[in-house]
Amino acid sequence: MKKLHHLLHGSHLVLAINSIAGLSIFFFGYDQGVMSGVNISPHYKSLMGLESNEALLGGIVAVYYAGTLIGALMGGWIGDKIGRIKTILVGCVFACIGAALQTAAQNVPWMICSRIITGIGTGHLNAIVPVWSAETSHYSSRGMFIAMEFTLNIFGVVIAYWIAYGLHDQEGGMRWRFPIGFQLIPLLLLAVTIDFFPESPRWLVKRGREDEALEILSSLRGDGDAQHPHVQEEFRDIKDTLRIEEEQGGEPSYFGMLTNYDEFNIPRRVHLSIWLQIIQELTGIGVITVYAPESFANSGFSERTSQLLSGFNNISYMLCTLVAVFTLDRWGRRFTLYYGAVGQGISLILVAVLTKPEFLAANPTVSQIRYAFGVASAVFIFCYTGFFGMTWLTVPWLYPVEIYPLRVRARGGAWSVVGWSIGNALVMEITPPMLAGIGWRTFFLFGALNFLAIPIVWALYPETANKTLEELDVIFSTRSLLVWEAEKELRQRGIDPDNPLGHRTGRYANSDEAEKQHGSSEGSSNAIPPKDEKAVEP
């Protein structure tokens, strides 16, 4: 069968890969958003016996995250065994079965089981698709392509919302069965087309299929020329790094990734990826998702207008994700998280102030004040989702797939999904009682957590923009956890943090310099010098 890399080269091939990856992320967003419309369908609530059982109604939604956690751990393990492409196909099969069962559901146990199966499929896709995208994209545009995929993620949320809005007056099962069944379209399209796309060259090298890897790498980086200096340089880096990884004892288990401190310090990376996803949820996106429709209604708008505003907020959210496409690689991951946290924190604190009951009760013209404050709070909800879309939506998914060694990269992506599942479950569990118990202070608390995230990122999360995946293996190999101490440790080992592989013979600080050379350099030293040796500075 003729593969796509035989027809397309360079940026065209990378764009095609990330477009089909975006289809998977579109499904992820759609599946997240679809249940908000399903849960307000009278026929669904009546059929399932949920009219007066809000806890069970929410529980059916929440079991999905248990499925994503299970699926991520399965997908991460499978992805390192059978490859990225086949794992995506396995995820599609699980998700299609789950979606079909949800569409036909007749009772609560049926719905719960089908939600878990769908979650397992989603977990597979979420664990492996960002890994595949990162391993095939050029280091200078990795962030841009992941950001494009997450624009499609929010586009999925938008489509789910407007389908539900369009079916609002529809009676019977059509109102909720059609939106659930609609997710089969992107899943089937992904399943049918994915086998035409190239496997990750890094996974192929890991499996000893170097000729295939070099062929794909030449299409990605060298316009089909296997002797192109960029192709040869990246190919050598992959092999050298993999050799060092194998010397550390092969592939650790999930538990070993948490406990085995070797030359690559994988436990550090696991904790960073899990906690970045948890912090993402603690910045308040779940709270805003829950609160937005109620906020618009409290502003004095009618139910229909409130629904329209919620839909427009989703569209604004989606458009704001495009900002990351142009800024994420230029400004870096750290600064993106900094300015996002500041904007989100200010927005949430202002929402808290504007919804404080004392401000409304202190003025005799309460209705006018309520309306004005409600409109203002709605504006800052738009601001919050805009800042989140530009920043914190994308980076916690991009960062984990950049920082893991090749031998465990798929399972590293799985740990990221575990963190996302934990963060989602935590916020979904605490948000309703917090809103009921402390009201407007909930937004103040989450606003403060945004500012708390800034020093955590500054101290613990090194910059990953514009570095190859092999260079990042070196950056994260330190024992030190603090960024400045880790850089000091690297320098003590003879490694320049700004050019981590510069100690290698023939390795260029600027890859464009490689254009002046022809063919591949013979011989190279270790990608990560032993800690008791000093590498020779270039």
Side-chain angles (χ1 to χ4, degrees), residues 342-410:
V342 171
Q344 292 162 196
I346 292 172
S347 298
L348 282 179
I349 289 172
L350 287 172
V351 169
V353 171
L354 291 165
T355 55
K356 187 177 181 181
E358 287 79 359
F359 284 117
L360 303 178
N363 196 294
T365 57
V366 171
S367 60
Q368 292 89 339
I369 295 295
R370 183 183 300 276
Y371 182 80
F373 280 20
V375 169
S377 69
V379 168
F380 285 109
I381 287 173
F382 271 71
C383 290
Y384 172 85
T385 54
F387 277 113
F388 187 86
M390 296 176 200
T391 59
W392 279 82
L393 171 69
T394 302
V395 175
W397 290 100
L398 169 62
Y399 200 90
V401 299
E402 294 183 304
I403 68 176
Y404 283 99
L406 173 57
R407 59 183 166 138
V408 294
R409 190 166 290 136

Side-chain angles (χ1 to χ4, degrees), residues 424-434:
N424 261 286
L426 173 65
V427 172
M428 290 300 102
E429 183 68 25
I430 66 176
T431 294
M434 286 180 68

Side-chain angles (χ1 to χ4, degrees), residues 274-319:
I274 289 176
W275 278 104
L276 189 59
Q277 287 281 14
I278 293 174
I279 293 170
Q280 179 200 48
E281 296 305 317
L282 292 177
T283 61
I285 188 62
V287 181
I288 288 297
T289 301
V290 170
Y291 180 74
E294 180 184 346
S295 172
F296 297 136
N298 289 342
S299 299
F301 300 111
S302 66
E303 178 185 356
R304 202 68 165 181
T305 303
S306 297
Q307 292 172 347
L308 284 171
L309 284 172
S310 295
F312 292 144
N313 183 43
N314 287 336
I315 293 174
S316 171
Y317 184 11
M318 178 189 70
L319 294 175

Side-chain angles (χ1 to χ4, degrees), residues 268-269 272-273 276 332-335 337-338 395 399-400 402-403 456-465 467 471-472 474-478 480-487 490 497:
R268 175 193 179 192
R269 311 179 197 215
L272 287 176
S273 58
L276 189 59
R333 315 326 184 208
R334 282 159 60 90
F335 179 75
L337 294 177
Y338 295 159
V395 175
Y399 200 90
E402 294 183 304
I403 68 176
I456 294 175
V457 171
W458 172 76
L460 299 177
Y461 289 83
E463 182 57 69
T464 62
K467 289 184 174 64
E471 286 177 320
L472 292 173
V474 180
I475 294 294
F476 286 89
S477 67
T478 62
S480 304
L481 300 180
L482 299 174
V483 171
W484 61 91
E485 290 292 336
E487 290 180 353
L490 287 173

Side-chain angles (χ1 to χ4, degrees), residues 57-181:
L57 185 70
I60 292 174
V61 176
V63 294
Y64 169 80
Y65 296 109
T68 60
L69 192 151
I70 295 168
L73 294 174
M74 291 173 59
W77 184 81
I78 293 172
D80 282 329
K81 298 296 182 184
I82 68 173
R84 313 326 189 196
I85 298 296
K86 289 181 180 178
T87 304
I88 292 173
L89 188 57
V90 171
C92 286
V93 170
F94 272 107
C96 283
I97 293 171
L101 289 173
Q102 283 187 81
T103 305
Q106 300 294 326
N107 52 57
V108 169
W110 186 335
M111 193 67 178
I112 288 175
C113 289
S114 57
R115 289 283 293 165
I116 292 174
I117 294 171
T118 305
I120 290 174
T122 305
H124 276 74
L125 296 174
N126 286 359
I128 208 66
V129 167
V131 171
W132 181 52
S133 173
E135 289 182 335
T136 53
S137 298
H138 192 264
Y139 69 86
S140 63
S141 58
R142 223 170 27 233
M144 178 185 73
F145 283 116
I146 294 288
M148 288 171 58
E149 292 169 19
F150 276 87
T151 297
L152 292 174
N153 173 261
I154 305 305
F155 182 56
V157 176
V158 170
I159 294 298
Y161 183 88
W162 287 106
I163 287 177
Y165 181 84
L167 294 172
H168 184 270
D169 296 326
Q170 180 73 38
E171 296 182 0
M174 180 70 173
R175 176 174 173 179
W176 64 274
R177 293 190 192 276
F178 176 79
I180 292 177

Side-chain angles (χ1 to χ4, degrees), residues 22-36:
L23 189 62
S24 169
I25 305 299
F26 168 85
F27 156 72
F28 171 40
Y30 183 90
D31 200 44
Q32 277 187 295
V34 71
M35 288 304 292
S36 62

